[in-house]
Amino acid sequence: MRTFLILFGKELRAFFYSPVAYIVLGLVMVLNGFAFNASVSFLQREASGGSLVKWTFDSPWFYLTYFAIFPLITMRLFAEERRLGTLETLLTAPVSAWQLVTSKFSAAVIFYAVLWLPSLINFFVFQYVTAGAADLPPGALIGSYTIVFAMGLFNIALGCLASSLTSNQMIAAITTLTFTIIHYLLGLFASTAKRLLPPSSEELVDYFSSVTHLQTFTSGLLDTRALVYYASLSVLFLVLTHQVVEFRRWKS
């Protein structure tokens, strides 16, 4: 446990001591601010059945931020270590591959959670400014951040795997971005074509569609099946990353 905490602290400091981290934080704040402002403007122009929370997260504006985050925070995790030659040094030390993988993953998850805090503050500031007139259902707010966090676990684990496969950060970033978009598009196409599929397949489509998950959770409904789905994929990609790192250990 002590070894894990040392590695975790090192990785977390690497995030917050790097100027790139604050560039990412600034970029996310700007994009989240744009999405929030676009949602407010839309609701001011016309009546809608959805809340401000739903229109902020279950909208095309949300994906401006969503797709940009994961390549930026995961591309350096293993690729930079390989490029600098420090990964081989770590692997010859009394450090297990699991400790290395989980420490990097955990630090990235913490940083990811911090990135979304300003967007949460936006809602409370807006409600304060409007004297509570804004419709902010607690269930929708909790559900939205729950699914955003769960989806983040999956994509960060995917980014860890992509970063472990190359020493080039740009290749790792492009790989992560590509598969993040592919996963979203598969769910989008499946949701769009659901009415053309047999009724028995609808539940299966809803199970892996991130679009459906967002719609469900931003409405204030918590579906544990979606959480299990993302948790399972996260574990799968972490296991694959472990195998890659273990292979590097024996190769070195």
Side-chain angles (χ1 to χ4, degrees):
M1 187 64 179
R2 182 172 178 272
T3 302
F4 167 79
L5 291 176
I6 292 173
L7 291 172
F8 172 71
K10 168 182 169 293
E11 293 299 328
L12 202 58
R13 287 192 298 272
F15 273 111
F16 289 100
Y17 286 176
S18 168
V20 177
Y22 295 95
I23 293 174
V24 174
L25 179 59
L27 174 65
V28 170
M29 288 179 65
V30 169
L31 293 176
N32 277 332
F34 174 79
F36 185 82
N37 182 67
S39 301
V40 172
S41 299
F42 176 81
L43 291 174
Q44 285 177 335
R45 288 196 305 269
E46 56 185 275
S48 171
S51 66
L52 177 60
V53 179
K54 183 173 179 61
W55 277 103
T56 300
F57 289 98
D58 184 19
S59 70
W61 307 306
F62 164 76
Y63 290 100
L64 290 174
T65 306
Y66 180 76
F67 290 133
I69 290 178
F70 305 108
L72 293 174
I73 67 176
T74 63
M75 64 182 185
R76 54 160 291 277
L77 291 178
F78 291 93
E80 186 179 32
E81 297 266 21
R82 288 188 59 192
R83 183 179 65 83
L84 297 175
T86 54
L87 182 61
E88 287 73 15
T89 304
L90 274 174
L91 294 176
T92 55
V95 174
S96 71
W98 270 120
Q99 289 172 329
L100 185 59
V101 171
T102 54
S103 63
K104 289 180 177 292
F105 174 75
S106 300
V109 168
I110 295 297
F111 183 68
Y112 174 74
V114 170
L115 291 179
W116 287 100
L117 285 178
S119 69
L120 179 61
I121 295 173
N122 286 341
F123 290 107
F124 292 110
V125 170
F126 186 76
Q127 190 173 42
Y128 174 78
V129 171
T130 58
D135 181 22
L136 296 180
L141 204 58
I142 293 172
S144 297
Y145 282 94
T146 298
I147 193 60
V148 166
F149 183 75
M151 291 165 64
L153 294 181
F154 155 62
N155 285 294
I156 291 171
L158 171 62
C160 285
L161 177 60
S163 184
S164 69
L165 292 171
T166 178
S167 59
N168 189 308
Q169 293 188 46
M170 190 56 64
I171 293 176
I174 293 173
T175 302
T176 303
L177 177 62
T178 300
F179 281 97
T180 300
I181 293 176
I182 287 175
H183 178 263
Y184 163 75
L185 290 178
L186 286 175
L188 178 63
F189 293 152
S191 296
T192 304
K194 186 167 60 175
R195 58 180 176 271
L196 304 176
L197 300 174
S200 58
S201 65
E202 289 187 8
E203 187 173 347
L204 176 62
V205 169
D206 290 341
Y207 186 73
F208 71 84
S209 173
S210 58
V211 177
T212 302
H213 298 158
L214 271 174
Q215 292 172 347
T216 301
F217 278 75
T218 55
S219 298
L221 302 175
L222 299 181
D223 186 353
T224 56
R225 293 173 300 174
L227 301 181
V228 170
Y229 170 74
Y230 288 113
S232 301
L233 285 178
S234 300
V235 172
L236 172 63
F237 284 117
L238 288 177
V239 169
L240 293 175
T241 305
H242 170 267
Q243 295 302 315
V244 173
V245 173
E246 195 66 39
F247 174 76
R248 301 288 181 196
R249 178 196 294 275
W250 288 108
K251 189 177 179 181
S252 59

